[in-house]
Amino acid sequence: MTFLRVIVFSTVLLGFYALFAHTLPQVEPDLSEPVEVSTDGLDMEGMIALGESLFTGKGTCTLCHNGMGRAPDMLEMDLAATFPSRLADPKYTGVSAGKSGPEAIEAYIRESMQHPSAYVVAGFGKKGTNDTESPMPVVDKAPIELSNVEMNAVIAFLQDRAGLEPTVPLPSADEAPVAETPSAEGMVEAPVTDALAAIDKYNCAACHNLKGSGADLGPELGGIANRMSRAEVMEAILDPNATIAEGFSAGLMPQDFSEEMHTSELLLIVDYLLALPEAAPKEEVDEEEPLATSGLEVIDKFGCAGCHDLDDSGADVGPRLQGIAKRMSREELQTAITDPNASIAEGFEPDLMPDDFGDTIADSEMTLLLDYLMNLPE
Ligand code: HEC
Ligand code: HEC
Ligand code: HEC
């Protein structure tokens, strides 16, 4: 029933113009203005459907929340189990800490969108912040800018996926309608006519530090003219996997700009990027975290206890480390930390434990860490 309703709703309201542009090419609607979707009279199933279209569309959530491992894959994972376990996590101190039930989960999702760093899922924090800072952009600010009604719709969608009755309010008749830029399949959107609008349209600033977004999922593009030719910049946009920027993973930058982008937009973006001044060097002082001076500090700095039970915290993403000296030599322990996928502890998944500790843990810190773990009692 919900599914049918989703199809009907999205076809009728969101895909209306697409359908027309598709089947009746003589009726050419003006697509340069966003289409206003009235939220007047929307019921909860409509909210859920709207939330789904925002999640994959305007909200750009699936740019990161996908199977690439950059963010929890919310469309695949078991949300019914995940959300309650987040609220129960002793590391979570946000608005719903210690609470349970659908309202608490509503508040948790809203907080995730407005204050992403209130809780950072272990292993997903910004590099070097020990999972204290989330790379996720605030979604009710530019460039994503979801309205309250739109955030409620996304929450309704996620609550529904978690098997809950959505608890968000329905939009009232006088609430501002939702502006939805049509982007249904099969339709070509009218090109935008300035570079910043094009960068917004394709959400480059969600991953690159553009327009002051501070994002660092993709390389800094300031001063790019000094290291890439015009042709190379174009190729990097149209065929991102042809060459991969050092230190970044393949497959993350969207592959379909070549199909979606108008040539005029590409030229605007490329001109804009090539004119960007060299980015101000980051403050080195902030970058260098001080070296930890005890085993416990190392564990704290690198977030081991978020996944491992070290002090009866109950964390169970990775094996308990109490009494590890009975199971492993010091050398084996070091390898398990620096090259976690070399052998996988029985009953646990590979690829969960960060694999860059060999680079990020200083030698002096490694010694302290091994001393500490080898002496951890059963
Ligand atoms: C630029 C990448 C990026 C975008 C875009 C993004 N997120 Fe996230 N999100 C993350 C990362 C990384 C995490 C995990 C770290 C954390 O907990 O903050 C996360 C965590 C979350 C969580 C907590 C998940 C959990 O397992 O507890 C929710 C809820 C969430 N995001 C919702 C959204 C929604 C809704 C959107 C779109 C409106 C969105 N995100 C867009 C990167 C992103
Ligand atoms: C979901 C994240 C994401 C989005 C959205 C994104 N990029 Fe990227 N981009 C990356 C990543 C990661 C890399 C590095 C890997 C690679 O080279 O493919 C990259 C690489 C690049 C490079 C090459 C930089 C270099 O130093 O080699 C350019 C240029 C670029 N992106 C421009 C853009 C533009 C323009 C847009 C918007 C039209 C955009 N990107 C949207 C993630 C993203
Ligand atoms: C994001 C979760 C996560 C973090 C953070 C993490 N680990 Fe792990 N760890 C795992 C998982 C999952 C396994 C089991 C799979 C494997 O063997 O790679 C594991 C395995 C291990 C093992 C092997 C244990 C055995 O019984 O074979 C050791 C030792 C270990 N981790 C130590 C550490 C230390 C020390 C830190 C911090 C510097 C750390 N881990 C951080 C998830 C994590």
Side-chain angles (χ1 to χ4, degrees):
M1 177 56 196
T2 306
F3 185 61
L4 189 66
R5 184 54 212 257
V6 168
I7 293 175
V8 171
F9 177 85
S10 38
T11 312
V12 171
L13 283 181
L14 303 173
F16 183 76
Y17 288 93
L19 205 66
F20 267 80
H22 215 52
T23 54
L24 301 170
Q26 70 273 28
V27 190
E28 282 285 350
D30 175 11
L31 297 172
S32 52
E33 289 297 312
V35 177
E36 289 203 339
V37 176
S38 169
T39 53
D40 191 9
L42 207 56
D43 64 6
M44 199 49 88
E45 285 179 21
M47 281 290 271
I48 294 169
L50 176 61
E52 174 164 27
S53 89
L54 290 166
F55 196 83
T56 52
K58 178 183 173 194
T60 70
C61 318
T62 45
L63 271 184
C64 301
H65 292 281
N66 56 34
M68 296 300 305
R70 276 293 170 166
D73 190 355
M74 284 195 281
L75 296 183
E76 288 299 322
M77 61 205 236
D78 177 5
L79 292 179
T82 304
F83 287 144
S85 74
R86 302 288 192 239
L87 303 196
D89 184 335
K91 279 199 328 185
Y92 174 58
T93 54
V95 290
S96 295
K99 300 191 188 148
S100 61
E103 272 96 8
I105 288 172
E106 172 190 339
Y108 172 75
I109 300 173
R110 190 183 314 274
E111 181 182 52
S112 298
M113 294 195 284
Q114 296 184 300
H115 307 284
S117 295
Y119 175 78
V120 181
V121 178
F124 288 106
K126 278 198 183 181
K127 274 220 167 96
T129 69
N130 189 19
D131 287 342
T132 55
E133 256 180 68
S134 173
M136 169 158 156
V138 174
V139 311
D140 58 350
K141 302 256 156 59
I144 301 179
E145 275 186 310
L146 295 189
S147 68
N148 276 332
V149 174
E150 290 172 322
M151 282 194 290
N152 283 338
V154 170
I155 294 170
F157 168 63
L158 291 175
Q159 285 186 310
D160 182 59
R161 286 194 74 90
L164 301 168
E165 259 332 301
T167 50
V168 296
L170 290 174
S172 57
D174 54 337
E175 237 158 341
V178 180
E180 176 72 20
T181 308
S183 62
E185 237 178 294
M187 180 176 52
V188 179
E189 275 182 62
V192 296
T193 52
D194 78 89
L196 289 178
I199 282 169
D200 274 350
K201 179 171 169 186
Y202 299 104
N203 282 299
C204 319
C207 298
H208 295 281
N209 182 23
L210 290 171
K211 302 178 72 188
S213 71
D216 61 0
L217 289 179
E220 174 62 59
L221 299 179
I224 195 165
N226 300 336
R227 53 194 169 83
M228 286 172 106
S229 69
R230 194 178 173 83
E232 284 168 336
V233 173
M234 276 194 193
E235 180 181 60
I237 298 171
L238 297 178
D239 188 8
N241 286 342
T243 46
I244 304 300
E246 212 186 307
F248 292 88
S249 14
L252 183 61
M253 171 138 162
Q255 318 283 297
D256 51 4
F257 288 142
S258 57
E259 288 150 36
E260 289 182 354
M261 220 179 253
H262 292 266
T263 315
S264 58
E265 293 172 328
L266 175 66
L267 295 175
L268 286 169
I269 293 179
V270 171
D271 285 341
Y272 175 85
L273 295 183
L274 288 171
L276 279 179
E278 198 74 56
K282 284 196 186 154
E283 300 241 350
E284 291 294 334
V285 234
D286 283 347
E287 282 276 86
E288 283 294 320
E289 264 189 85
L291 287 180
T293 54
S294 74
L296 267 182
E297 268 181 48
V298 182
I299 285 166
D300 216 39
K301 179 169 166 187
F302 295 97
C304 319
C307 297
H308 293 283
D309 192 350
L310 288 153
D311 50 6
D312 299 314
S313 68
D316 61 358
V317 178
R320 282 181 91 234
L321 296 182
Q322 284 95 332
I324 186 100
K326 292 214 181 94
R327 293 188 267 131
M328 288 188 180
S329 69
R330 195 178 169 97
E331 286 68 37
E332 285 167 340
L333 179 60
Q334 180 158 1
T335 308
I337 296 170
T338 56
D339 189 6
N341 288 332
S343 82
I344 305 302
E346 210 187 309
F348 291 89
E349 294 286 320
D351 295 325
L352 271 179
M353 171 144 161
D355 59 4
D356 60 354
F357 287 140
D359 302 323
T360 52
I361 301 184
D363 290 349
S364 63
E365 292 177 324
M366 183 59 79
T367 307
L368 292 168
L369 178 62
L370 295 176
D371 288 346
Y372 182 85
L373 292 176
M374 290 307 285
N375 289 305
L376 207 56
E378 187 70 62

